[in-house]
Amino acid sequence: MQGTKKLNAMYVPKSFQFDNPAEKIAFMQRYPFATLVTVAHGLPLATHLPFAVEEKDGKVILSSHFAAGNSQTQYVETGSSLVIFSEPHAYISPRHYDKQESVPTWDYIAVHAYGKCRIEQDADAKLILLEKMIRFYEPNYLQQWTSLSHRFRMGMLSGLTAFTLEVTELQGQRKLSQNKTITERTRIIRQLEESPVGIEQDLAKYIQNTLK
């Protein structure tokens, strides 16, 4: 990712900067279901996909696959794409703040990965990418997958368009109430920890880290 011109496509206020590359990669690996956005004829096209995220030789590589009939596959190699990783998030009530003149907000973490997709046409290369996805999500399934008939596996591959994206720019934002006092953040953490929603509990841990 070195030597590329830095884009300013993501608005990140100073208080919410997320600059550590290793932490951004770890975040993508923890929350790998993302949205791939491509522009075709002035129209944004988007598909929600699971990604395998790996760092290799100083490069960040994203791997995934479309359904073969997805029209977005016609455009992903013609220009840059944006992959949006966004989770966890939660509504933050102004009742946690000391000042009466306060308004609601939303806390969240997001990472934007930019790059150009490369579609794998070769069946063996597609198989390698698919098995990479299996190793990323459920390594124990690999034995079952390899025990399936060659005909079945090739039939599955024919219905997929596999691709990789080499990341040329990573941008991120952590909006975790860093502009609020420790007392206010502690109240927010307490509410989120008590939430029945898993992603809100996850967010509480990230906000807790801002107090260290």
Side-chain angles (χ1 to χ4, degrees), residues 17-206:
Q17 290 181 350
F18 186 7
D19 295 326
N20 187 301
E23 290 182 1
K24 284 186 278 194
I25 294 168
F27 176 81
M28 292 189 294
Q29 291 173 331
R30 183 174 182 181
Y31 301 101
F33 189 71
T35 304
L36 175 68
V37 182
T38 305
V39 176
H41 309 298
L43 177 69
L45 305 177
T47 302
H48 306 277
L49 298 168
F51 284 86
V53 181
E54 63 177 339
E55 187 175 13
K56 185 176 181 180
D57 300 326
K59 299 177 181 179
V60 179
I61 307 296
L62 308 181
S63 305
S64 190
H65 52 263
F66 293 100
N70 190 325
S71 62
Q72 191 174 357
T73 61
Q74 303 173 35
Y75 306 101
V76 293
E77 290 188 303
T78 61
S80 295
S81 292
L82 163 64
V83 186
I84 302 173
F85 296 82
S86 181
E87 202 86 44
H89 56 84
Y91 170 86
I92 306 299
S93 170
R95 66 186 174 86
H96 299 299
Y97 305 147
D98 295 331
K99 294 181 179 179
Q100 180 67 25
E101 293 182 340
S102 297
V103 296
T105 189
W106 209 277
D107 276 3
Y108 64 92
I109 304 174
V111 171
H112 289 186
Y114 300 85
K116 190 172 182 179
C117 296
R118 186 186 71 185
I119 293 176
E120 296 292 354
Q121 304 290 352
D122 180 75
D124 289 338
K126 290 174 65 175
L127 183 60
I128 289 171
L129 285 184
L130 186 59
E131 292 182 351
K132 181 184 293 185
M133 295 283 291
I134 293 172
R135 289 187 180 93
F136 187 85
Y137 285 96
E138 190 182 5
N140 291 338
Y141 173 66
L142 189 62
Q143 182 176 359
Q144 179 179 338
W145 166 256
T146 55
S147 71
L148 301 176
S149 70
H150 179 75
R151 179 180 178 182
F152 178 84
R153 286 184 291 156
M154 291 303 102
M156 290 295 297
L157 288 180
S158 67
L160 303 175
T161 299
F163 68 92
T164 57
L165 182 148
E166 181 180 325
V167 177
T168 55
E169 182 70 28
L170 268 182
Q171 297 178 3
Q173 178 170 182
R174 287 189 292 197
K175 185 177 179 298
L176 301 171
S177 296
Q178 299 98 317
N179 57 338
K180 302 301 178 182
T181 67
I182 291 178
T183 300
E184 290 169 325
R185 275 180 275 172
T186 300
R187 294 184 195 126
I188 294 169
I189 292 167
R190 187 177 301 118
Q191 178 197 337
L192 296 176
E193 285 178 336
E194 295 173 354
S195 170
V197 181
I199 59 171
E200 295 188 357
Q201 297 171 15
D202 287 351
L203 188 66
K205 297 174 184 177
Y206 281 104

